[in-house]
Amino acid sequence: LGCTLTEAFTTFDEKPLAAASIAQVHCATLADGEEVIVKVQRPGIEKTIELDINLLYTLASLAEAYVPEVGMYNPTGIVNEFARTIRKELNFTMEADNASRLRGNFENDPFLYIPKVYHELSRRRVLVMERVRGMRIDEFEKIEASGFDRGELARKGAEAFFKQIFEDGYFHADPHPGNMFVLEDGSIALVDFGIMGRLTDELKDVI
């Protein structure tokens, strides 16, 4: 970021809130008191992933050469798709833009919430976003104990994704329970915008 942690944040929790293969997430506080999460890419992960991709290409080529039956599954094509997607995930600047675009699409929506991105503190390997607090969408007992109707949450969630797909043609493509939270006002927040989907008007008509 071109500055020290204490210059960028008034507090920074060195113990990660969450960790995955590409990055880990830390909680921090900005000078104005805003709570944020800081997604930090693991050192050297890009080189490791490129080595893995090369290995996958080798295995795919061997499978196609020596096991003709797998040809119908197009192993090399599968590796191509994986490589394209994982390389995009490594660029947090792209993820920041994804989140901002989706936030704009739902700016006036009372149900789906997209956290704010702090672009001035984000870079290719560091992403700073507003922290959202809520219950994972699969924490059913907590959700019901909080007085929320799971059926209504499911209906509104489906409507939000229909809007993304059929109206905007731009959608969150990794909506697993760890990326979806029920907030205290009953809205749903999405996080992790490394993988997004896009549909042309022609594709929307086909669907």
Side-chain angles (χ1 to χ4, degrees):
L1 297 179
C3 62
T4 65
L5 280 178
T6 54
E7 289 172 329
F9 310 102
T10 55
T11 67
F12 187 93
D13 189 352
E14 294 189 9
K15 182 180 180 181
L17 177 68
S21 55
I22 291 177
Q24 59 191 44
V25 172
H26 297 261
C27 297
T29 308
L30 300 181
D32 62 1
E34 182 74 23
E35 290 187 321
V36 296
I37 60 97
V38 185
K39 185 175 180 180
V40 184
Q41 195 168 121
R42 295 186 180 281
I45 191 64
E46 195 166 356
K47 181 179 179 181
T48 299
I49 286 176
E50 288 301 324
L51 290 172
D52 289 344
I53 289 172
N54 288 335
L55 178 59
L56 287 172
Y57 275 124
T58 300
L59 293 173
S61 297
L62 288 171
E64 290 170 347
Y66 295 102
V67 188
E69 294 83 358
V70 306
M72 63 182 294
Y73 300 108
N74 189 12
T76 298
I78 293 174
V79 177
N80 283 336
E81 182 66 16
F82 169 76
R84 184 185 65 82
T85 301
I86 198 70
R87 285 168 179 151
K88 284 185 177 180
E89 284 194 77
L90 288 169
N91 186 348
F92 291 172
T93 301
M94 185 176 294
E95 181 174 349
D97 291 341
N98 291 342
S100 292
R101 177 176 174 182
L102 193 62
R103 180 180 170 87
N105 289 347
F106 283 86
E107 188 173 9
N108 298 314
D109 190 283
F111 184 72
L112 191 69
Y113 188 77
I114 309 299
K116 175 184 176 181
V117 176
Y118 291 86
H119 289 276
E120 69 277 10
L121 289 172
S122 298
R123 301 290 187 273
R124 183 180 176 86
R125 295 182 177 86
V126 179
L127 176 62
V128 179
M129 299 186 71
E130 170 191 0
R131 183 179 182 183
V132 294
R133 295 179 179 273
M135 300 167 284
R136 279 176 50 127
I137 198 71
D138 61 350
E139 292 183 310
F140 304 133
E141 292 183 1
K142 284 186 179 181
I143 291 172
E144 291 180 347
S146 298
F148 297 119
D149 183 330
R150 287 168 51 197
E152 182 68 6
L153 288 173
R155 184 185 67 79
K156 290 182 177 178
E159 287 179 357
F161 273 94
F162 286 154
K163 177 185 182 304
Q164 293 177 56
I165 294 169
F166 294 111
E167 292 184 25
D168 304 329
Y170 185 75
F171 59 93
H172 191 295
D174 194 18
H176 63 75
N179 287 341
M180 303 175 69
F181 295 86
V182 179
L183 306 184
E184 62 179 9
D185 64 355
S187 60
I188 289 180
L190 295 179
V191 299
D192 194 348
F193 306 93
I195 306 176
M196 303 297 291
R198 294 168 177 79
L199 290 174
T200 62
D201 289 339
E202 290 78 13
L203 281 174
K204 285 188 284 185
D205 288 339
V206 171
I207 292 175

